[in-house]
Amino acid sequence: GIQVEQSPPDLILQEGANSTLRCNFSDSVNNLQWFHQNPWGQLINLFYIPSGTKQNGRLSATTVATERYSLLYISSSQTTDSGVYFCAVVTSGTYKYIFGTGTRLKVLA
Amino acid sequence: DAGVTQSPTHLIKTRGQHVTLRCSPISGHKSVSWYQQVLGQGPQFIFQYYEKEERGRGNFPDRFSARQFPNYSSELNVNALLLGDSALYLCASSLDPLGDSPLHFGNGTRLTVT
């Protein structure tokens, strides 16, 4: 089955710093989503991005489907950005999202 | 509009018991999926239902079952609970079953088996 690897596994930032999270996948995908799981366990949609670039405030994402990776950029990080970031992919004709290994982010005040 | 709602939020059960978890999708969403997330890992797919039919099943034992009702809400049932079933159970809904629209998650049910 498809493998989804995220890097780095852990990241500690000072408030105000920028960061880039990476998601590599081992096969072609139909779609990709980025999620933020907050410390209370809520999984929050960030981007639905099978290809191209999208921006939402301080966050942006880029997926290069032909090269099988996606990047999530966080600028001017805030303590509320802390939590675990997951990418999840679904392959063509299937119905289940495969989640990556996650990046655990901690932003210090 | 209301998001995906799940109940209960927390549950404590004893080994051997059974449990029923409930989920209401976003209005207009006909696809409901269930995921299990154990501590320190990403969510793992359990089931997907679309238009009241099972469309997919993950690698989980037959102790796990689910169904979808005419109003598109869904139940996940787990029988003969084991300690290893302790996890956060997440329900997600979407417009279509094949990933052509975003997946939206509820806040989850945290199940503890003692």
Side-chain angles (χ1 to χ4, degrees):
Chain A
I2 190 170
Q3 303 298 312
V4 185
E5 299 282 340
Q6 292 184 241
S7 60
D10 297 280
L11 189 57
I12 300 175
L13 299 174
Q14 283 297 134
E15 203 168 25
N18 302 328
S19 62
T20 300
L21 281 57
R22 187 177 180 102
C23 171
N24 291 331
F25 39 96
S26 61
D27 203 349
S28 300
V29 299
N30 196 36
N31 276 308
L32 183 147
Q33 276 187 258
W34 281 97
F35 296 93
H36 173 217
Q37 189 164 41
N38 64 23
W40 298 271
Q42 295 173 312
L43 264 176
I44 299 162
N45 285 333
L46 297 177
F47 294 101
Y48 174 76
I49 185 167
S51 63
T53 297
K54 291 185 177 180
Q55 180 154 8
N56 184 5
R58 297 181 295 104
L59 303 182
S60 65
T62 295
T63 297
V64 185
T66 53
E67 297 188 21
R68 300 181 183 171
Y69 73 89
S70 184
L71 301 174
L72 177 69
Y73 306 95
I74 305 174
S75 64
S76 304
S77 57
Q78 301 175 357
T79 56
T80 52
D81 295 331
S82 297
V84 184
Y85 289 80
F86 289 104
C87 66
V89 303
V90 60
T91 53
S92 180
T94 68
Y95 37 76
K96 61 180 179 180
Y97 274 81
I98 304 298
F99 280 75
T101 48
T103 291
R104 187 173 300 274
L105 173 64
K106 186 167 187 177
V107 181
L108 304 177
Chain B
D1 284 342
V4 178
T5 58
Q6 292 186 243
S7 63
T9 55
H10 294 84
L11 204 51
I12 300 175
K13 291 286 190 178
T14 304
R15 274 178 300 176
Q17 288 186 316
H18 77 274
V19 67
T20 298
L21 311 180
R22 295 179 175 84
C23 171
S24 292
I26 291 172
S27 177
H29 286 191
K30 298 179 179 179
S31 175
V32 171
S33 300
W34 289 94
Y35 288 76
Q36 179 197 64
Q37 187 178 21
V38 300
L39 199 60
Q41 297 182 18
Q44 298 289 317
F45 173 79
I46 310 175
F47 283 111
Q48 188 202 52
Y49 278 77
Y50 181 72
E51 288 282 17
K52 301 177 283 293
E53 291 186 4
E54 182 182 307
R55 292 299 186 97
R57 183 186 183 111
N59 188 24
F60 281 81
D62 291 344
R63 299 184 296 107
F64 288 76
S65 64
R67 55 180 175 167
Q68 188 177 32
F69 299 99
N71 66 353
Y72 303 109
S73 67
S74 178
E75 283 182 354
L76 175 70
N77 295 284
V78 188
N79 293 325
L81 285 167
L82 303 174
L83 295 179
D85 295 331
S86 294
L88 179 66
Y89 288 85
L90 295 158
C91 174
S93 76
S94 61
L95 284 169
D96 73 276
L98 293 179
D100 291 331
S101 61
L103 206 57
H104 298 268
F105 281 89
N107 290 341
T109 293
R110 196 168 296 277
L111 172 65
T112 302
V113 182
T114 62

